[in-house]
Structure formats: structure tokens, C-alpha cells
Amino acid sequence: MNELTDWLTDPVPSRFPYDAVVDQYHRVGKHFVSEQLLKDLAVARERLAQAATADEADAAAEEDGLLTRFLDTALDKWDGRYDYPTYTSLSVLGLPTADDGPRAAASARARRDRLVVQLLADLLRFELAAVEGRTDLLPEMRPDDRLVEKRCRLALRVARPALARLGHGDPLTAADPVAQAAQLWEFVDGELLDDHERRVLRLSMLPVYVSHDEHMFIRVLQTFETTFALLALSLRTAIGDLGAARTGPAVAHLAVAETALAESAPLFSLLATMQIESFRTFREYTEGASAIQSRNYKLVESLCRTPDRDRLDSPAYRSTPEVRERILNGQPTLDDACATALDDGRFTAADRERLTAAMLTLASALRRWRQTHYRIAVRMLGTRSGTGYTEGTPYLSHVRTIPVFRSVKDTAGDTAGAGDTAERTITHLMKTENEAA
């Protein structure tokens, strides 16, 4: 690559040839990128580190940081540290974290909504470009028109409530989902992407192979991760609110978490449209990366309730050592905060009732998420082992039975309508799976 060779002679971060590098990754897939390109990128990373050491107060620190995160993601297989966070480019996306603090919680929902809309709009942009013959990237096993229309409908269902909360009205005025998908990308491209976000969106898509459906798969995983990042911050903030006997704000944060999780449910139906053969082809090159390594999901689970010792010592938490360390150091949990609140005289009977209802609603949403995740895995994997050296669907079957809380009666049907909602979700998922099959 001449562009990269030229850049190495004068390594200014703002002039890095992002497009040329990403194009190479898209042409062959991360697993098959040439050794020479990887060597050059490794040299680029070294030059960047030297420049950062020489001038840590550089005004272009944000650009330097993005380039560093991109190179670390692009070189994960070269370094022998390829895993789920690098496969999904989470450091490039720059998600909210549970450590951002209560002040950040107020704006985290808008950040999540903005990123969800961007990710799904880009997912649909690629689907439409492929079905209309406007791109030759990721050419293997392209979906037909009918499948693309279904994907448009399901992705729009997730994007709409997030788009509405951002206060831009409803720009999706077309009559059919395909035309609405085109409108969504046109709106996002024109109104909801600044230059930095536009670059982040492009750099966060590095498939391992050239199967068309991997693009959708990565964007859906990123959207889930964005949602769980919001959940982790919301739960941690709610824990602090309960410690200060602030029932109203705590319940509000739990409601934000539950709503975000419930709104993401159609993403499972979207995943169910993935062509099984396509999935089984590209996953051959994702060994070492598994959703079992999701830090955000483990944070949510462990912020809800301290995991039992056998789970804490299982591959699930040993795959996320930094989360495990938080737990061993005594990370506060919503379960403990709720148990204390229910015995605290500062909380009125009405407060305790509201808190209990919010906890049960969240628990129900998490159980539904686990159940649908398991069913998708069964459809796509059958009894095959998972990637990342995991045992696949047997692991997910066990996880779905783990209680979310113990301070409240965490069983199916705890809240009015929760069982019906779960059943509708699962029924819809299975219907979609059958149609896709």
C-alpha cells in the first residue's frame, strides 16, 4: 500500500490513510489481510507511540487516540490477542462506562440512542447497497430482496424509539420499510453524523471474512453492547441513589435500563434472518472471540447480584478478569442495595412497592433477553461448541436459569403482564426463525 508507506515517512495522525487501510480489510477480511500490510501497521503503531511520548500535550490528542485504538483493533490477530471486544471494535466506538459517574448517566441515554441509530442506519445502508448492486464488498451469500425487506423492518423497529427520543421528529415518511431504511440513512448521513462519528462508524467495521451477513452480525452485536453499556451505568447510578434513599431517581434509572433492553428485543429477530450457512462460514475465522467475553454484559449481571462462587470461578468470569476483580473487591450490587432499602425506615411503603415493581420488571426483561439469546444460538449453532473456546448452547442454557435478584421474588410472572410479554417475544422470534429457515 503506497499510501501507508508514504505516511510512515511523515507519521502525522490526522493524515493517516484510514480509507485505504479499511478498504484492504474489507476486500479480503481481517483473517486474510496480507502479512506486509500487518507489518506496516505494526510499524505505524510504534511510530505513533513514539510521537505520543515526545509530545503528550498535542492538540490532536483525540485523533491520536482514535488512531491508536483503531490500530490495536486492526492488529489483534497479528498480536495474538484477538477476542470479542476487538472483533466488535468496542474501543473504537467509545461506549459509556459504568465508571463515568452519576452526572454522566443523565446524558448516557442520548449517547446510546445516537449510536444505536447510527449503527442500525449503517447496517441498512449496506443491505440496500448490496441488494441494489451498488457495492462489491463482502460478496458471498448475498440475501434476496425479501430478506432485505424483513431486515429493514426489524432494524427500523429498534431505531424508531431511539430516534424519537433524540428529538428530530419522524423523518421516516415513506410507505414501505425499504424506502424508510433509505430515508433513515439519508437522515443520519446528513444530520446525525459529525466528522469524527463518521470516521468512527467506518473504522468500527472490520469483518474477518467476506460473507455479506457478517456486516449485519457485527452491527447487531455492537448495538447490544451499546445498550448493555447504558445498563451498567444506569444500574450503578441506581445503586448510589438507593444508598442515599432517593427512590424516585433509582426507579427512573431502572426504568431506563428496562426500556433500553426491551426495545432491543427485535434485534434477536433480526439475527434470526442471518443465513445459517453464512454464519457457520465466517465463524470459522472468529476462533478466540466469543460473547462470553462481553465485559458490559458481565458488568450488568454482576451489578444486579453478586454471582455465586461457581459462576464467578467459571470460564464466563475468568474470560473477563477485570470484571471478576471488581466483584472480588466487593463491588456493590443492586440486589444488596434493594435488600437494605426494603428494611430501611427512610423508605415508605409506597417507595418499597415502587422499588420492588421496578426490580421485578428489570429481572423479567433480563430473563427474556437470556431466553431469546439461547434460542437464537440453538438455531444457529445447534449442539456445536461456541467460539472463544466455550461450550456454546449448553452454557447459554444454564445461564438463562440464573436468578437475576434474590432480594425480590425473581420468578416468571412476578409482574403483571410480564409473562405475556415474554411469551409474545419468544413466539415472534420463533415465527421469524421458521420464516427465515
Side-chain angles (χ1 to χ4, degrees):
M1 280 184 53
N2 294 334
E3 298 95 331
L4 184 55
T5 302
D6 291 344
W7 183 86
L8 288 172
T9 64
D10 184 21
V12 178
S14 62
R15 294 203 293 267
F16 185 81
Y18 286 113
D19 287 342
V21 172
V22 172
D23 283 345
Q24 289 296 312
Y25 272 72
H26 285 180
R27 291 293 171 191
V28 298
K30 182 190 284 190
H31 191 80
F32 298 96
V33 170
S34 71
E35 184 176 358
Q36 186 58 54
L37 174 55
L38 293 171
K39 286 181 179 179
D40 288 345
L41 289 175
V43 172
R45 183 171 56 183
E46 291 175 4
R47 299 275 174 86
L48 188 65
Q50 293 167 359
T53 301
D55 186 7
E56 294 182 357
D58 189 345
E62 182 180 30
E63 186 66 34
D64 293 8
L66 177 60
L67 179 53
T68 298
R69 296 193 300 275
F70 169 70
L71 290 174
D72 284 345
T73 299
L75 289 167
D76 53 357
K77 284 187 174 253
W78 172 262
D79 293 338
R81 53 179 177 75
Y82 174 73
D83 61 7
Y84 176 78
T86 61
Y87 175 59
T88 50
S89 299
L90 297 186
S91 67
V92 174
L93 288 175
L95 304 180
T97 75
D99 298 326
D100 288 348
R103 290 186 178 180
S107 60
R109 189 182 198 182
R111 285 182 62 193
R112 178 262 178 190
D113 287 346
R114 187 177 178 93
L115 186 52
V116 163
V117 172
Q118 291 170 351
L119 291 169
L120 294 177
D122 186 68
L123 182 162
L124 296 176
R125 173 200 61 78
F126 183 70
E127 292 293 325
L128 296 183
V131 80
E132 294 168 4
R134 292 185 284 106
T135 180
D136 60 355
L137 297 179
L138 311 185
E140 287 198 5
M141 288 176 267
R142 287 275 172 81
D144 59 24
D145 292 5
R146 181 187 62 86
L147 201 53
V148 169
E149 180 179 358
K150 181 180 293 185
R151 290 176 179 181
C152 290
R153 175 165 43 82
L154 292 167
L156 288 168
R157 192 179 303 172
V158 180
R160 276 186 185 277
L163 185 61
R165 278 192 298 270
L166 292 173
H168 295 283
D170 186 2
L172 312 182
T173 57
D176 66 271
V178 173
Q180 289 176 357
Q183 286 182 324
L184 179 63
W185 173 249
E186 181 179 358
F187 171 77
V188 168
D189 189 39
E191 302 291 335
L192 211 62
L193 281 174
D194 60 30
D195 290 342
H196 178 75
E197 290 170 324
R198 193 180 307 279
R199 175 163 286 174
V200 165
L201 202 58
R202 178 158 168 75
L203 300 186
S204 62
M205 177 53 65
L206 296 179
V208 295
Y209 189 53
V210 292
S211 293
H212 172 91
D213 283 3
E214 191 182 359
H215 185 282
M216 178 185 73
F217 183 66
I218 291 174
R219 287 301 190 218
V220 169
L221 293 182
Q222 291 170 335
T223 305
F224 272 133
E225 286 294 321
T226 302
T227 294
F228 274 105
L230 172 64
L231 264 65
L233 178 55
S234 297
L235 297 185
R236 190 162 187 184
T237 306
I239 292 168
D241 286 331
L242 289 177
R246 295 191 294 264
T247 310
V251 168
H253 286 299
L254 296 183
V256 166
E258 188 277 331
T259 298
L261 198 58
E263 288 177 356
S264 70
L267 291 175
F268 283 114
S269 297
L270 182 57
L271 281 180
T273 71
M274 189 161 50
Q275 300 165 100
I276 294 177
E277 191 56 37
S278 177
F279 174 69
R280 292 177 181 173
T281 298
F282 72 73
R283 75 182 293 272
E284 292 296 322
Y285 308 109
T286 62
E287 192 62 58
S290 168
I292 198 176
Q293 300 159 343
S294 172
R295 277 75 163 166
N296 288 317
Y297 178 79
K298 294 301 190 310
L299 267 176
V300 169
E301 180 183 284
S302 62
L303 283 168
C304 284
R305 178 175 69 84
T306 301
D308 297 332
R309 190 70 207 196
D310 61 341
R311 177 138 175 87
L312 190 58
D313 290 338
S314 72
Y317 277 91
R318 293 196 180 277
S319 296
T320 56
E322 65 276 30
V323 179
R324 187 172 185 271
E325 189 65 23
R326 286 171 179 259
I327 298 165
L328 293 174
N329 288 335
Q331 173 182 259
T333 71
L334 188 58
D335 201 40
D336 290 339
C338 179
T340 299
L342 293 177
D343 291 332
D344 192 329
R346 293 179 296 170
F347 292 80
T348 66
D351 287 338
R352 290 193 288 273
E353 184 176 345
R354 290 171 61 204
L355 176 58
T356 299
M359 294 278 286
L360 292 175
T361 301
L362 178 60
S364 180
L366 279 165
R367 283 197 307 273
R368 294 195 301 272
W369 193 93
R370 291 171 177 172
Q371 176 70 10
T372 48
H373 184 199
Y374 168 71
R375 287 177 178 246
I376 282 289
V378 168
R379 178 178 184 273
M380 304 306 296
L381 290 173
T383 58
R384 290 172 173 81
S385 61
T387 53
Y389 319 110
T390 64
E391 56 183 313
T393 51
Y395 162 78
L396 294 177
S397 180
H398 168 69
V399 168
R400 63 181 173 151
T401 67
I402 297 174
V404 179
F405 301 118
R406 295 199 187 279
S407 59
V408 293
K409 185 183 177 185
D410 175 18
T411 57
D414 283 327
T415 56
D420 292 340
T421 302
E423 188 60 34
R424 285 196 300 271
T425 301
I426 295 167
T427 299
H428 172 68
L429 173 66
M430 298 308 294
K431 180 174 183 292
T432 306
E433 290 176 356
N434 292 334
E435 291 173 352

